Amino acid sequence: MENRVCSTESVNGSCDVWSCQKSAAASADHLVIMVHGILGSNADWKFGAEQFVRTLPDKVFVHCSEKNMFRLTLDGVDVMGERLAEEVLEVIQRKQNLRKISFVAHSVGGLVARYAIGRLYRPPKKENVAASTDGTNEDDIKATIGGLEPMNFITVATPHLGSRGNKQVPFLFGVTAFEKAANLLIHWIFKRTGRHLFLNDDDEGKPPLLKRMIEDYGDCFFMSALCIFKRRVAYSNVGYDHIVGWRTSSIRRNYELPKWEDNMNKEYPHIVYEERCKARDAEQSELISTEDDGLDKLEEELVAGLSRVSWEKVDVSFHASRQRFAAHSVIQVKDEMMHMEGADVIRHMIDHFLL
């Protein structure tokens, strides 16, 4: 019998999804935070949230974020990240039995989630580390995210390297003149978030936000937080995503993009390539950065910085799909019309989810 799913929506628009079976719901101690993309809403992850709970009814409690919906997504990655961090803490305080936490984020939501975990990072307490040999509870000497054990950090078509590089926004066709014009005009359309995406923000002389987010900066522990997740996964469209390019969503240089055309996956038809990338130290990253790959210096710094942690990279193709031109939304299964096309991507996500 199929597991029934219960959900509730607050007056603010937040959506919680859990199993209708009381015993299963009571034992679910793994919080899954789902974050939508630009101009999106909590409804964007409705299908994904329900599939998570149907498959893992006694394991997960899903919260679809609502603090940054619609035009609020134009306020900037940092402002949205602060809101999301507050929202996560509110959920944790409201549901007391939670022990673990994971994030599943689409598009710009992946950057927002990366900012939020930098805020939610809690280092081990020094006195507990010092006393670890005296029988102190192991959980007390580990770093946490909001007091919970970090498990999976999953991004879906997220522009980790920003959007200003060549072919990073595919609908500009890789035409240099178009890309330069977009860089100058983007803030008129996407406001402060646009500046962050095109790496031309200059807050009080600070480096661009995405560069700050590849290290611990001030009181935001961006990389320390990313490091402590058991898994980091980047799902990327290899083509037909006219919003976010393959290189930026998969955190790769041009020459690192794999050949995928001949790959077949019977279990997950739209998954065309999977790669486990080990963490690279600073010396390895520096050697790689000397290669002439057409990347600008800042984009190369972002690749090298994010490569200091391991990633699972999952490449997705909707080339044979009737809805391929909507790949940016299909990979998330944003609405009912997309269930037949992108459901295997969600199933892959759930089947590999670390509990």
Side-chain angles (χ1 to χ4, degrees), residues 42-108:
N42 62 352
D44 294 352
W45 274 116
K46 182 177 185 295
F47 177 80
E50 291 178 352
Q51 293 308 303
F52 261 83
V53 173
R54 283 198 175 97
T55 309
L56 307 167
D58 61 338
K59 304 294 184 183
V60 301
F61 177 88
V62 180
H63 176 81
C64 298
S65 174
E66 54 83 18
K67 286 291 181 74
N68 294 302
M69 295 196 296
F70 307 120
R71 289 191 61 81
L72 291 178
T73 60
L74 306 181
D75 291 345
V77 171
D78 52 354
V79 173
M80 288 190 285
E82 296 284 355
R83 292 186 193 132
L84 178 59
E86 292 177 7
E87 183 177 6
V88 171
L89 291 177
E90 290 171 4
V91 176
I92 294 172
Q93 292 167 3
R94 176 161 48 84
K95 189 166 173 54
Q96 295 289 315
N97 69 318
L98 297 171
R99 294 179 53 251
K100 302 174 182 178
I101 188 169
S102 292
F103 287 79
V104 180
H106 178 245
S107 194
V108 173

Side-chain angles (χ1 to χ4, degrees), residues 13-28:
S14 65
C15 181
D16 293 335
V17 184
W18 68 94
S19 172
C20 289
Q21 298 176 357
K22 288 186 178 180
S23 59
S27 63

Side-chain angles (χ1 to χ4, degrees), residues 310-341:
S310 62
W311 288 89
E312 296 171 36
K313 298 178 181 180
V314 183
D315 299 305
V316 179
S317 171
F318 294 106
H319 279 66
S321 167
R322 289 176 298 173
Q323 301 186 65
R324 58 186 176 274
F325 292 104
H328 189 68
S329 296
V330 176
I331 195 173
Q332 182 192 17
V333 193
K334 193 171 182 178
D335 60 45
E336 291 185 7
M337 295 295 291
M338 299 172 180
H339 289 188
M340 294 299 292
E341 302 292 352

Side-chain angles (χ1 to χ4, degrees), residues 269-301:
H270 294 105
I271 305 292
V272 295
Y273 196 86
E274 296 183 63
E275 181 180 14
R276 292 178 180 270
C277 299
K278 295 181 179 180
R280 295 171 178 154
D281 59 29
E283 185 176 341
Q284 289 173 310
S285 296
E286 186 177 348
L287 288 173
I288 291 171
S289 70
T290 62
E291 302 258 1
D292 182 13
D293 193 47
L295 275 66
D296 68 21
K297 181 181 178 182
L298 182 51
E299 186 176 329
E300 172 57 39
E301 289 178 5

